[in-house]
Amino acid sequence: MNADEGGGEGGAADGISGPPREPARRSRIAELADTTIPAAEPVSQGRPPDPEANNAEHAARRRREFAALLGEFRRAPVLLPLDEHDASPLTAEFNGVRWIYAFSDEAALARFAVLRDEAARPWDYQRLLGARLLDGVIPALGVPCGVALDVGSEGHEALFPPVTGIVPDAVAVDIDTNGETRG
C-alpha cells in the first residue's frame, strides 16, 4: 500500500507522542458477514418441525441476507487492487470463472498480500463503489467475471458471481442468447 494513501503508521518511534489512535471502524460488509442464522424455533405443540417448511424458511432467510449483503456492497467503497505489470484489475480463474479481487479496507488487502507472500511489494489500487465495479468495470472486461470480496480474511469472504441480479444481464452467465434466464 502506498504511504501517500493513508497506509502509514504514526507512533512514538520518532519521539513524538500523539493522541491514541481510534481503532479502525469495521465496515458494514464485515458486520454483515459476521451474522449467523438464528437457531431454529422451538417445537411447538409437541409436533416435530416440518423439514420442507424449515428448508423454505432457511432458503428465504439466506436470500434476504444475501440481498442485504449485495446492497451494502453496492453502496460501499471497495479497494480494487491492480496488477503490478499492466495496472489492470487483479483477477484469478477458479472453476472456469474469472474473479476480480476486491477488498473492504486496507487491512483486508494487507492480509491478502501476506497470504500471497507479496507483502513487501507496493500495492496500487483504485477505490470505487461496489456498484461501479459490478455495473461498469465487469462489463468492460469483456468476459464473464464475478467479484471475490476480502479473500484471505477468514470468515469475512464473500463471492458475487456473474449472474442475473448481481451483474448486468448482458454479462450474466445465466442468461442465454435469447435473453432468458437459464435454470
Side-chain angles (χ1 to χ4, degrees):
M1 274 151 271
N2 298 332
D4 62 334
E5 295 180 305
E9 291 291 326
D14 57 6
I16 300 172
S17 178
R21 296 181 94 176
E22 290 185 28
R25 187 178 154 269
R26 291 190 69 209
S27 72
R28 178 76 174 115
I29 292 172
E31 291 170 4
L32 281 170
D34 283 344
T35 60
T36 58
I37 298 173
E41 296 293 321
V43 176
S44 61
Q45 302 171 356
R47 290 187 310 240
D50 178 4
E52 287 186 23
N54 282 342
N55 287 341
E57 290 170 20
H58 176 76
R61 182 172 43 246
R62 296 296 289 172
R63 280 192 299 276
R64 286 191 303 272
E65 289 171 357
F66 184 78
L69 179 63
L70 176 61
E72 192 61 36
F73 176 77
R74 293 183 66 78
R75 292 184 294 276
V78 295
L79 307 181
L80 182 66
L82 304 174
D83 184 276
E84 66 182 322
H85 302 292
D86 64 5
S88 62
L90 190 63
T91 64
E93 293 274 334
F94 183 71
N95 285 342
V97 177
R98 182 171 296 175
W99 297 93
I100 294 179
Y101 292 115
F103 299 90
S104 57
D105 55 31
E106 287 181 340
L109 177 54
R111 286 187 293 275
F112 175 74
V114 168
L115 285 174
R116 288 174 59 116
D117 288 329
E118 296 182 29
R121 80 168 177 88
W123 282 79
D124 293 325
Y125 59 83
Q126 290 183 328
R127 186 182 311 263
L128 66 160
L129 290 178
R132 178 133 167 80
L133 176 57
L134 293 172
D135 299 339
V137 174
I138 287 177
L141 292 175
V143 295
C145 193
V147 175
L149 178 67
D150 290 343
V151 171
S153 295
E154 191 172 330
H156 298 283
E157 305 96 337
L159 294 176
F160 299 100
V163 296
T164 306
I166 295 177
V167 298
D169 288 352
V171 294
V173 296
D174 61 338
I175 299 285
D176 67 16
T177 57
N178 297 324
E180 296 185 22
T181 303
R182 287 186 247 157

